[in-house]
Amino acid sequence: MGVVKFGQLECVKQEDWNGKDDIYLTINGKKVYSARIGEDDKITINKTFHYEGDVAEVRMYESDDADDDDLLGEQVPIHDFGEMKFTEDDAYYTLSYQLIKP
């Protein structure tokens, strides 16, 4: 079991063409956070999340009503702290993180 703390989420370029993105984050397939965010917005999450296993596979999705949700990328944080980038489907998000050792 591990713990990861998400810091600041920044939307450099959103996925949707109109309106804000409805994004959500998963860790190892479990939904842990969601937000409505637009281009140039920054959100301070500042929350810790527990995960099972040796690594935390973090995925970001943009929720869609009409079809399947859009995968914006996946990252596995490996350093004690850093920044993950989610750049698929013409989006660009950054998320700072900190791995917390037991």
Side-chain angles (χ1 to χ4, degrees):
M1 176 184 262
V3 179
V4 63
K5 181 177 183 179
F6 293 154
Q8 186 172 45
L9 173 66
E10 179 178 4
C11 175
V12 178
K13 182 180 178 193
Q14 67 186 61
E15 191 271 339
D16 272 347
W17 293 356
N18 56 6
K20 294 187 175 198
D21 283 351
D22 293 306
I23 61 98
Y24 62 93
L25 296 164
T26 66
I27 299 176
N28 297 342
K30 180 181 174 188
K31 188 175 179 178
V32 295
Y33 183 80
S34 62
R36 188 169 182 84
I37 185 170
E39 209 155 292
D40 298 323
D41 287 348
K42 294 178 185 175
I43 296 175
T44 300
I45 299 173
N46 201 27
K47 291 184 181 177
T48 58
F49 302 96
H50 296 267
Y51 61 89
E52 297 293 326
D54 295 331
V55 297
E57 182 183 77
V58 180
R59 290 185 178 190
M60 180 182 287
Y61 294 90
E62 201 282 318
S63 182
D64 277 337
D65 292 333
D67 55 6
D68 292 338
D69 293 348
D70 300 311
L71 176 63
L72 304 184
E74 60 186 74
Q75 298 282 313
V76 175
I78 55 173
H79 301 290
D80 289 344
F81 58 91
E83 184 177 84
M84 295 180 275
K85 293 180 184 348
F86 301 93
T87 59
E88 293 183 28
D89 209 13
D90 291 330
Y92 189 146
Y93 283 85
T94 63
L95 175 62
S96 63
Y97 73 88
Q98 177 185 0
L99 289 177
I100 300 171
K101 306 286 185 190

